[in-house]
Amino acid sequence: MSRRIWGAVGALMLTLGLSAPVAGQTFAIQGGTVHTLTGDAFVGTVVIRDGRILAVGPNVSVPAGAEVIDATGRHVYPGMFDAVTTLGLTEVGAVDVTNDSREQGDFNPHLQAATAVHPSTEHIPVTRANGITHAMAVPQGGNGAIPGQASLIGLDGWTVEEMWMDAGAAMSINYPSLGGGGGRGGGRRGGGAGGGWSQVEARYAEQVAQLDEWLAAGRQYSQAIQAGADIRRDLKLEAMARVVNRDIPVLLSANGGRDIRNAVEWAERQNLRFVITGGREAWTIADWLAEHGVPVILSPTQAMPSGSDASYSEAYSNPGRLHAAGVKIAFATFNSSDSRTLPYEAAMAVPFGLPVEAALDAVMKNGAEMLGLSGDLGTIEVGKMGNVIVTDGNPLEIQTEVTDLFILGRKVSTDNRHRSLYEKYRARPRARVIS
Amino acid sequence: MKPRIQRSGVGTEWGARISVAFAFALFVVPQAAQAQPRPSRPDAVSLYAIQGARIVTVSGQTIENGTVVVENGVIQAVGRNVSIPRGAWVIDGSGKTVYPGFIDALTTLGHESAPVAQGFGFGGGGGGPVDISNHSWGPEDRPGTSTWVSAAEDITAGDGRFNDWRNHGFTSVLTTMDVGLVTGQAAVINLGSYVRPRELVVRTPVAMGLKLQDRSYTGYPNSLMGSFAYLKQLYYDGMHYGAVWDDYDADPSGKVRPEWDIALEPIRQQLAEGWPALFPAEGRKEVVRAIATSAEMGVTPIVHGLQGGYEAADLLAAAGVSAIVDLDWPSAPRDGDPEAVPSLDQLRLWDRAPTTPGVLASAGVRFAFSSGGSSDASGILDGARHAIAQGLSEADAIRAFTLSPAEMFGVDDRLGSVEVGKIANLLVTSGSIFSEGTRIESVFVDGEKFDVPERVADASPAGRDARGGPGGPGGRAGGGGRGAGSDEGPSVDRSAAPVAMSQDRGAYRSDDVTFITGATIMTASNGTILNGDIVIRDGRIAEIGSGLRRPGGARVVDAAGKFVTPGIIDAHSHMAAEAINEGAVNVSSMVTIEDVIDPTDRGMYFALGGGVTTVNILHGSANPIGGGNAVIKLLWGADADELLIGATPGIKFALGENTKRDREPDRYPATRMGVQDVVRQAFLDATYYMEGWDAWEAGGRQGVAPRRDLEMESLMQILKGERWVHSHSYRADEILQLLRLAEEFGFTVRTFQHVLEGYKVADEIAAHGAGASTFSDWWAYKVEAYDAIPYNAALMAERGVLVSINSDSGEEVRHLNQEAAKAMKWGDMEEEAALRLVTLNPAIQLGIDDQTGSLEVGKDADIAIWDAHPLSMFSKAVQTYVDGQLYFDIELDEARQEALEAERAALIEKHGVGQAGGRGATDRIASPGQPNGEVNR
């Protein structure tokens, strides 16, 4: 098969992303306070048709035939985005056979999470009932690995084709970590971390060299293709070519302050499009990150301090400090069953310095912007995807209910396994008690 | 030089000759195997006189220009005007100093060091096949127990270390075996050169060696709390054994003859004769444990290690406990991460460990020195010099090398001072032993003179060699293994005063009277008081209401706009515990968290920051019947025993997946049928055990009391209603099964923990009278959590179950208020009912609701103040009071953090670590409380 045909096939595969929403119904959400996240909130109407937002404003007329949702006294927000999850890739954590998040081998840039996303997982209805409408399903891997491509998925659909919006939305790379600074190695009797610092450094250099090699090979491959060379198709290098050509962003995982610095400097050297994911100690270099314009998708705020001497609120105040320094942040759960707690990870940062508006941005808007998805997601604007939620309060508050849910322009039920079990057992007749 | 000085290395002494000869037989010169040992030195001179020396007698005044006469290994005369016997080999002592020979108070000299297994610590994976050839299934297997082994036996006099130690001034050592939890009988030996090693023995046994962890077996005990339980049981058994034999020996007629027991016989002897036990203890918390445990065991402890002893001197002085301080001071690692910032506790230990001897001396604690398992002796004197630079007097240092260890081991009638009649163990130096440039010229052991070669005699810091070797005898609680390579960190100014410690523990304020005014007070028992006031007096709530008069002298806390709740109570925690699971056995009711509370765990302070005042520390879920719990108040900075608040004792049970999962080696049970069976059989056994005691009581306590069995004891307490069961559970069916089993044996399950399917059998739980303590919204992490729903708490409460929400997590505990609010979202619980989930209800479940859990007059002033409604995500705790004392304050916390940072910076500067700076690297908290890799939730 000729190179040109392969190229066409590749292009077809890659553009399968952002699949067209199902044509169909029109919805008009009327009378609610609309928080578009592009300006001040107002009482008005949001019209969704054929999957996308058709109109939004205080004085929008309702198209004929639209299903009207009366949101009077309630609030309309963009749906929340869990920017790093394993949703769809795992069902029961402790049961290996239900886990599809981690493939063998350290370098699998051609794998795509969407391939394994289980559309009927119970986790998805549980998650979306709390207002999360889309998520980035990310393959997992070890330190220094390239686990594969993250897939942007809408949290509704009979099949994955109906759910997914972009199977290859980003490349996941776990930047090699130098560890926690080897502090634990400074034991009573000495002895460095993992057999001495020099060994740690050597191992690190080796891992960075491996990543460099993958990128170099991707460049080589891409140049050869562009030059019209007749070479065999290589799935892995094809994927790496998209990275080096800046077609897709890299989710670059790093948590320690030093690790983040190293990761950023490396990605800049390699001229990648990237965001840092994790960022537990990002606050320690907040100004530096701001200077470099590096956005961060934060691992859960509800986390322990990084060390026994750290401030008790170190993790809680990390988002607020980053925001204050001008770093763009988004929140993520890095989890599946806990994906529904995404709003609480954002809310936790509020009493510790993150303005509530910034917290909302960080669960709705920023993730889309960082990952080049803001043409379709992140705010309530005409032409964007119909991922919209209606709530009876601030979506970051525990007691707030999501009353209506629109995903890819479809009205989606908030029913889920938990509510069904609740209703079933609530209806259990009083037990015939033995004792 | 006399020709006989040529005695380097092995091969000249009998014990070593055996092994060397063996090697030769195999490889080199077959004749050597048949060769007779021949003396390589002339017959010992038996009469010496050291004349005109400065004699540091230790027991009395130092004698200037004095003479010591040694004959046949004994000191015959000491004094200024001593006549020299005829025929004595006279040594000119002018300008020289004579000391009693030094004693290293803890070594393995004369014994091969135990092979050190890979890694360190309990249990744990580490990959590779597990050797279970020496597996212990319970205390009855007597794991690592060698009470009968005497360190005086099988001494290898050719141990190369003898020479080395002698050359550094040591003439006697305490030697112990290094294998086992009970390593056996320690002996004091002289470092002589005898053909018959037994001639070296000065006295045996002088102590029983104990350790708290050991690799000579697998299985039980595989946790620190298991080790404590095991040692206690062993000594209870020793007492019982003694009583049974005494009874039999007094009148054997008609009695069944007791079984002779090789392990218990020496304990019986030890208890009768009163020799001490060598107990490892690194710092204050370990000293607390050692004192408490040894009291239960009926033995006198000598604590050793003790490099953190600078913070434990008051305890040792009050208890009259002696100590052996390891002189191999900790220091920063070489080849460490340049950006590593060690923890403050670590830095403080490096900085202050060498102050320990001086601090102990000031407190009046008797202490000795040890090389702590070093493979060579070169650093011992240097370690002492460091301690002297940090405040120890030279006289106290010398005593710690001589008379103090002699007293501790009961040999001060023969060793430890230069006195007439004592063994002629002497040390002759060119000057003060601790001075720079002083040479050790010769030592006398049992009156035999050994000259010290010049090249090794310089004991000054320069030329101190890399030191490596196995961990010292006695095992280290929480220490690291000695690094194989050089462990010398950057040089530190040894005479510099320790960096001042900023306060990182203790209450911020302890006012007699506090007046919290103007708050929205959520009492958790009697509704909400708007614009309310609370008067705290002497740690209790004295008044509560609106418009209260401000008491005179009260500290006023203006809480306008703020919310006040009872301190949060976590009914399920694993914080502040140094062990969680004793999982090698399926019934571990003999162990208890109380033995391993770690009051230095900063997780306690982190939790105070979340408004938490009380936690229930539970054993893990590795076995159907786990161990005892500990209900503590977060009195951050107090000792372990002071944290306990007298809650009804509890015990952890566990059902389902965690208990039955695959283990290496296989452990019964593997099914829920087996789990039930284990519990039933245990209670059956306990019933018989109880009958045995009842019969003895009923019979007027005639004869020997039944054997006390710690495992049965706590089960018996359950049967009597004196100990409450808190059972880990998930599935509805297993919950039901335990309810019925409890009813079969006539007790009530106090709480089900996790109880994620509790909503399916809520009626049954309520009818039984059990409580339920659950998570808010965790699910799907395992199959038995797949039907978990966030409505669980509300649903169970609706059906009449007393419900609490717990954390089971060092992180989640910090926002249990939010977890409670989730019951309002999922299940529509009322506000006060939700607040009770993390306050009054857990207090009731733990039996402490008479003290805490709600804001009522007379209860302890355990109070959290929040800057917004505590059931909102947007609130945080700003103050936390425990017993009326302010243990957390969000503003004072900041000041404290700054002070700690400054202290840390000073320590880092001084000790030359982490100098690349970089706040990006701190040492990490290990994942909370799962030392043996068991998953507990």
Side-chain angles (χ1 to χ4, degrees), chain A residues 91 94 180-181 186 188-189 197-198 258 281 302-303 308-309 312 316 340 351 397-398 400 417 428 431, chain B residues 326 328 335 337-338 340 344 346 602 760 763-764 777 781 786-787 799 811 814 818 825 872 876 920 922:
Chain A
E91 197 64 29
R188 179 172 174 276
R189 298 296 182 182
W197 175 245
S198 37
R258 173 171 58 189
E281 293 177 3
Q302 295 188 333
S308 62
D309 299 331
Y312 88 104
Y316 302 159
R340 71 167 153 205
E397 267 288 17
I398 288 169
T400 297
R417 175 182 184 81
R428 182 189 170 196
Chain B
D326 173 357
D328 187 14
D335 193 21
D337 180 339
L344 189 60
Q346 180 72 76
R602 276 166 212 262
K760 296 182 178 177
D763 288 346
E764 285 84 352
D777 59 0
Y781 44 94
Y786 201 55
D787 273 6
R799 299 259 177 165
E811 205 298 305
R814 311 190 304 146
Q818 298 169 5
K825 176 188 182 76
S872 158
K876 61 177 177 296
T922 54

Side-chain angles (χ1 to χ4, degrees), chain B residues 232-251:
Chain B
K232 285 190 271 191
Q233 184 67 59
L234 187 68
Y235 276 75
Y236 284 137
D237 286 352
M239 293 173 207
H240 180 70
Y241 178 83
V244 169
W245 270 103
D246 288 349
D247 179 68
Y248 182 78
D249 286 342
D251 179 16

Side-chain angles (χ1 to χ4, degrees), chain B residues 730-812:
Chain B
Y730 280 80
R731 256 167 49 177
D733 53 327
E734 67 194 18
I735 293 165
L736 199 60
Q737 293 304 331
L738 184 65
L739 287 178
R740 299 305 172 236
L741 190 141
E743 286 157 9
E744 179 183 325
F745 284 95
F747 67 91
T748 302
V749 177
R750 186 64 180 184
T751 69
F752 285 95
Q753 299 286 318
H754 311 336
V755 58
L756 294 186
E757 288 188 12
Y759 67 94
K760 296 182 178 177
V761 285
D763 288 346
E764 285 84 352
I765 295 172
H768 176 86
S773 188
T774 188
F775 304 133
S776 56
D777 59 0
W778 288 347
W779 72 292
Y781 44 94
K782 51 182 173 175
V783 169
E784 61 187 7
Y786 201 55
D787 273 6
I789 60 174
Y791 304 88
N792 189 33
L795 252 183
M796 287 192 291
E798 250 177 55
R799 299 259 177 165
V801 179
L802 181 77
V803 181
S804 66
I805 284 184
N806 67 57
S807 80
D808 193 12
S809 148
E811 205 298 305
E812 193 120 327

Side-chain angles (χ1 to χ4, degrees), chain B residues 51-75:
Chain B
Q51 197 176 24
R54 178 166 183 268
I55 302 165
V56 179
T57 64
V58 179
S59 55
Q61 294 288 313
T62 292
I63 302 162
E64 301 294 341
N65 196 18
T67 298
V68 187
V69 176
V70 169
E71 186 172 17
N72 293 326
V74 176
I75 298 170

Side-chain angles (χ1 to χ4, degrees), chain B residues 203 205 208 235 238-243 245-246 264-276 297-300:
Chain B
R203 187 171 179 192
M208 188 70 87
Y235 276 75
M239 293 173 207
H240 180 70
Y241 178 83
W245 270 103
D246 288 349
L264 297 182
E265 194 66 43
I267 291 174
R268 179 189 183 193
Q269 186 195 348
Q270 182 194 7
L271 292 170
E273 296 173 5
W275 22 293
M297 292 162 64
V299 294
T300 306

